[in-house]
Amino acid sequence: MSVLQSYSEAKLIAYLQQGQSDINKILDEYFPQEDKSVPLYQAIRYSLFAGGKYLRSNLCLAACEAVGGSREAALPFAAALELIHTYSLVHDDLPAMDNDDLRRGKPTSHKVYGEATAILVGDALLTESFRLIAQKGMKAGASPEVVLQAIVELASGAGLKGMVLGQFLDIQSEGPSIMGEKELSIIHRNKTGALIRAAVRMGAILGNAKPTNLQRLTQYGESVGLSFQIMDDILDLMGEEEELGKRIGQDTVKEKWTYPRLIGIEESVRRANRLSDEAIVALEPFGQEAMMLRGIAMYAINRKK
């Protein structure tokens, strides 16, 4: 039986749920609900525990396990990824950015707590992600050198050479401007793909991956990152609002450049599937240890939310 034939959607769902549970335990201890001395904690917890797919954090865990690393050693870094991702959503929803009022089926942070608090929530989550790594990374078994490498990956994926740049380019391109596929790919690979790529690379680094395996996992992360964003574009047009937990059709309203707008829905679906196939091909040298990575690549294009 091939590794693909032995793939089980039920096992993947169980894996993702276990990852969410393990990471939430870390975050619940880090931002304790009972701490009334810092009211900002409540606003942080509102967004942090609102649900979500935990895709990036689970990719970090799965990549670490794929190269023979310790899941326990990767957990603090996976939790830090969830802090970064949540911060990005809180800030993206602000009126000055995407101006969304619904996220994960709930009113967005600035709708509940006000814009100033939402900005500070994002600032806190971004900053605390690095403190969490510094405090818990080495205690979980990672060496100082590996912790530093992981920090570089996280900062690169989240910052000016990654997610922040992509979000800026995305906002700048809104409207009737002309957009080519090369330019759109740059936006998507930075806005969404860079942090997904960083998550995979962080896991591989924490598992002391050989250079050839790190390269293959980097290719995997790049393909999954772009396929995931293309599916987001498609779901914004064809998804169910109740399942997505946010308003649909917002890309069209804001005149955002997406793959469906540029090349049509059918071709966008083909492109996402091709990228998923490329991600799985990158994992060919791996055996059962990379099964969850293969499953996530398929989940990225088959999901409904």
Side-chain angles (χ1 to χ4, degrees), residues 152-182:
V152 169
E153 288 295 334
L154 184 56
S156 298
L160 187 57
K161 295 185 177 181
M163 183 177 66
V164 170
L165 173 63
Q167 180 68 6
F168 173 77
L169 295 174
D170 185 50
I171 292 171
Q172 291 294 109
S173 68
E174 289 178 6
S177 59
I178 302 300
M179 175 70 68
E181 188 169 343
K182 180 180 179 181

Side-chain angles (χ1 to χ4, degrees), residues 40-281:
L40 184 60
Y41 274 28
Q42 305 311 313
I44 288 171
R45 289 180 62 92
Y46 176 82
S47 294
L48 194 56
F49 296 105
K53 293 177 279 292
Y54 285 58
L55 177 84
R56 293 150 189 82
S57 45
N58 271 300
L59 277 169
C60 178
L61 298 178
C64 184
E65 291 172 324
V67 296
S70 162
R71 177 186 177 86
E72 293 301 315
L75 273 171
F77 301 85
L81 277 158
E82 204 56 39
L83 296 186
I84 293 275
H85 179 54
T86 303
Y87 123 73
S88 74
L89 299 181
V90 171
H91 278 191
D92 286 356
D93 289 337
L94 288 166
M97 302 280 275
D98 287 348
N99 194 24
D100 285 320
D101 59 6
L102 194 68
R103 170 73 66 178
R104 294 171 174 170
K106 298 169 60 177
T108 47
S109 179
H110 70 272
K111 286 291 182 180
V112 177
Y113 297 99
E115 291 181 38
T117 297
I119 291 169
L120 292 172
V121 165
D123 293 345
L125 289 170
L126 173 60
T127 307
E128 291 299 321
S129 68
F130 292 100
R131 188 162 77 100
L132 190 156
I133 286 177
Q135 279 189 343
K136 297 181 178 294
M138 284 184 286
K139 290 181 181 178
S143 69
E145 293 78 11
V146 166
V147 170
L148 285 174
Q149 288 180 52
I151 288 173
V152 169
E153 288 295 334
L154 184 56
S156 298
L160 187 57
K161 295 185 177 181
M163 183 177 66
V164 170
L165 173 63
Q167 180 68 6
F168 173 77
L169 295 174
D170 185 50
I171 292 171
Q172 291 294 109
S173 68
E174 289 178 6
S177 59
I178 302 300
M179 175 70 68
E181 188 169 343
K182 180 180 179 181
E183 291 80 10
L184 183 59
S185 174
I186 290 171
I187 292 173
H188 279 17
R189 287 183 185 278
N190 282 282
K191 184 178 74 169
T192 301
L195 193 59
I196 289 176
R197 176 182 184 269
V200 175
R201 283 181 56 86
M202 284 171 67
I205 288 167
L206 291 165
N208 296 308
K210 297 177 181 177
T212 53
N213 285 339
L214 179 59
Q215 183 179 8
R216 285 190 167 274
L217 287 171
T218 300
Q219 294 170 349
Y220 165 90
E222 290 174 350
S223 296
V224 168
L226 186 53
S227 71
F228 187 87
Q229 181 56 52
I230 293 174
M231 283 307 303
D232 259 10
D233 292 349
I234 294 168
L235 289 171
D236 185 72
L237 292 173
M238 304 179 66
E240 295 292 334
E241 193 167 296
E242 287 187 4
E243 283 193 86
L244 290 173
K246 60 183 180 180
R247 309 291 183 202
I248 62 170
Q250 293 304 295
D251 289 345
T252 302
V253 171
K254 296 164 188 169
E255 295 187 279
K256 283 185 176 290
W257 276 101
T258 65
Y259 272 81
R261 179 182 177 185
L262 185 68
I263 61 176
I265 291 176
E266 288 186 8
E267 180 57 31
S268 296
V269 171
R270 283 193 287 269
R271 193 69 54 86
N273 277 280
R274 186 161 70 243
L275 285 161
S276 178
D277 290 341
E278 289 174 3
I280 292 171
V281 168

Side-chain angles (χ1 to χ4, degrees), residues 5-26:
Q5 287 175 322
S6 62
Y7 163 72
S8 164
E9 184 177 354
K11 287 182 179 179
L12 175 64
I13 292 171
Y15 183 87
L16 296 177
Q17 290 175 341
Q18 184 62 55
Q20 181 176 0
S21 176
D22 292 342
I23 290 161
N24 277 346
K25 183 178 179 181
I26 293 173

